[in-house]
């Protein structure tokens, strides 16, 4: 925060009070989403052994900051690890990795793929307006990687809820090829956001999508061991927690150290809760995210601590 206060008119106190964020990481000038995606996958290999990638037949990579429009960043990852696999990107803003998880789960369930390397990688620092204090302080760069494959009966994804409301496009956007939305309103050169509107939407949808995913899984909120929300702003997380009447110890939050890492956010939070021993084999988890679109996604899953 102190570094950013040298660039724009803000202060550590303002950022901490309004968002809970103290630190975030930014990629170097020559590092992009593909580099972080490869690092995250290498971390997975370091943890589980090289056999973790054996038999991967599909790579799905969620990002809003692909290295290029052509090729898909997923194909860069496929080539790096020499996987005999299909590869495509998902663009669905911050919930992108959860959309990727839902697609991976559907591919595996249908038999169209057996083992899916599912990555979230976003270098939002590359597309921020470094003069806009309203967005600059919120985001960080990061990546997560996971394998989705068949698990024993009773484990795995129990529900997915995916939603979008394109009416809200005006509240959070950035141009690519076109310069306007269909209604003629301008798309901006860099990320632009109406913070207040996104805040209200986020609090509302985090609790409604959570309730929906739990109901769809035929479960109760009290069955959930850990609530792993998108890490955008601690006030959003806490407002959702409070409206869902969840005890604070059930909520995973690391927004303080990473800011909003977009598509990587839920995966990084999950990884930390696994590493420190909070999430255990058989725990029921609730994952929920929201972002530009406006869009959202939630899921209930029973964690399977597989050894590869
Ligand atoms: N430092 C100091 N002042 C600031 C800063 C800053 N970094 N940013 C904004 N301000 C000012 C504003 O200009 C405003 O000043 P004004 O009253 O003179 O106009 C004042 O602070 C208050 O602004 P608010 O918008 O009312 O502040 P709020 O309490 O709503 O917090 C925030 C702003 C943190 C952006 C909040 O609205 C928020 O978190 N919104 C959700 C954002 C989000 O989660 N986006 C991620 C979407 S995910 C994706 O898909 C990319």
């Amino acid at each position: 925060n102190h570094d950013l206060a040298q660039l724009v008119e803000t202060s550590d106190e303002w950022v901490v009070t309004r968002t809970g964020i103290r630190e975030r990481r930014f990629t170097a000038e020559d590092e992009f989403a593909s580099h972080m995606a490869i690092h995250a996958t290498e971390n997975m290999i370091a943890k589980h052994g090289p056999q973790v990638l054996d038999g991967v037949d599909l790579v799905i990579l969620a990002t809003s900051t692909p290295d290029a429009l052509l090729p898909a960043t997923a194909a860069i990852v496929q080539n790096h690890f020499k996987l005999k696999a299909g590869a495509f990107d998902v663009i669905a803003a911050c919930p992108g990795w959860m959309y990727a998880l839902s697609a991976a789960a559907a591919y595996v369930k249908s038999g169209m793929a057996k083992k899916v390397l599912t990555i979230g990688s976003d270098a939002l620092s590359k597309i921020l307006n470094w003069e806009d204090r309203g967005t600059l302080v919120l985001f960080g760069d990061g990546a997560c990687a996971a394998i989705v494959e068949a698990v024993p009966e009773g484990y795995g994804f129990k529900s997915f809820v995916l939603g979008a409301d394109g009416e809200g496009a005006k509240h959070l956007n950035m141009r690519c090829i076109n310069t306007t939305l269909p209604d003629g309103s301008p798309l901006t050169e860099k990320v632009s956001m109406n913070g207040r509107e996104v805040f209200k939407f986020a609090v509302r949808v985090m609790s409604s999508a959570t309730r929906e995913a739990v109901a769809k899984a035929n479960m109760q909120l009290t069955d959930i061991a850990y609530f792993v929300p998108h890490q955008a702003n601690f006030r959003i997380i806490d407002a959702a927690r409070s409206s869902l009447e969840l005890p604070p110890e059930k909520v995973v939050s690391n927004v303080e150290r990473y800011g909003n890492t977009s598509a990587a956010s839920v995966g990084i939070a999950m990884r930390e809760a696994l590493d420190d021993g909070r999430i255990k084999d058989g725990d029921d988890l609730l994952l929920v995210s929201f972002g530009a679109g406006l869009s959202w996604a939630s899921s209930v899953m029973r964690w399977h601590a597989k050894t590869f």
Side-chain angles (χ1 to χ4, degrees):
N1 289 352
H2 295 290
D3 293 343
L4 297 182
Q6 308 292 313
L7 300 174
V8 289
E9 208 182 318
T10 190
S11 64
D12 175 59
E13 199 260 329
W14 192 95
V15 181
V16 172
T17 316
R18 299 296 179 115
T19 71
I21 300 167
R22 291 178 192 275
E23 302 169 21
R24 78 284 290 138
R25 275 87 185 135
F26 289 147
T27 43
E29 233 168 82
D30 58 352
E31 280 179 316
F32 296 91
S34 66
H35 298 93
M36 290 192 293
I38 289 167
H39 276 304
T41 308
E42 282 169 348
N43 284 348
M44 190 167 67
I45 294 169
K47 203 162 191 75
H48 298 284
Q51 65 279 10
V52 74
L53 293 185
D54 286 355
V56 165
D57 50 0
L58 185 61
V59 181
I60 309 179
L61 188 148
T63 185
S64 300
T65 52
D67 288 30
L69 282 181
L70 304 169
T73 304
I76 297 175
V77 175
Q78 170 278 321
N79 186 46
H80 180 88
F81 293 104
K82 300 294 173 216
L83 301 169
K84 201 166 176 292
F88 68 91
D89 288 356
V90 165
I91 298 186
C94 296
W97 184 63
M98 293 201 50
Y99 272 77
L101 286 180
S102 73
Y107 271 98
V108 170
K109 201 169 175 187
S110 72
M112 276 182 69
K114 277 205 150 40
K115 196 169 176 182
V116 187
L117 174 58
T118 314
I119 296 171
S121 184
D122 258 321
L124 262 286
S125 66
K126 310 287 190 212
I127 60 169
L128 292 174
N129 174 354
W130 283 64
E131 291 175 1
D132 175 12
R133 64 181 183 174
T135 48
L136 181 61
V137 301
L138 303 178
F139 296 97
D141 298 343
C144 66
I147 293 293
V148 175
E149 63 179 342
V151 285
E153 189 70 30
Y155 284 99
F157 297 108
K158 297 183 178 299
S159 67
F160 274 104
V161 172
L162 306 177
D165 175 11
E167 281 292 326
K170 56 185 177 291
H171 298 313
L172 180 49
N173 63 58
M174 179 186 150
R175 63 163 290 199
C176 178
I177 294 171
N178 199 348
T179 54
T180 62
L181 287 166
D183 67 3
S185 54
L187 288 160
T188 44
E189 275 301 313
K190 298 283 178 178
V191 174
S192 65
M193 183 179 69
N194 179 338
R196 274 178 215 183
E197 284 303 322
V198 176
F199 192 100
K200 283 188 276 179
F201 150 76
V203 172
R204 181 168 35 84
V205 87
M206 290 261 268
S207 55
S208 63
T210 294
R211 289 186 196 282
E212 238 183 284
V214 170
K216 223 170 157 181
N218 291 318
M219 292 168 71
Q220 309 290 326
L221 264 170
T222 47
D223 297 328
I224 300 299
Y226 289 101
F227 175 69
V228 191
H230 178 42
Q231 307 288 313
N233 180 328
F234 188 73
R235 283 162 54 215
I236 294 175
I237 295 173
D238 206 50
R241 181 201 65 72
S242 156
S243 99
L244 292 163
E245 297 176 17
L246 296 172
E249 61 276 12
K250 282 194 171 186
V251 179
V252 177
S253 177
N254 60 8
V255 68
E256 186 181 6
R257 272 170 295 127
Y258 305 106
N260 178 350
T261 56
S262 192
S265 172
V266 170
I268 294 174
M270 246 180 108
R271 180 71 261 167
E272 289 203 344
L274 282 162
D275 283 347
D276 66 22
R278 269 177 292 173
I279 298 177
K280 295 183 190 62
D281 188 68
D283 277 350
D284 289 316
L285 311 177
L286 185 290
L287 317 181
V288 61
S289 185
F290 65 89
L294 299 169
S295 62
W296 60 94
S298 59
S299 175
V300 173
M301 71 175 302
R302 183 164 295 170
W303 179 251
H304 176 47
K306 181 183 156 99
T307 40
F308 286 88

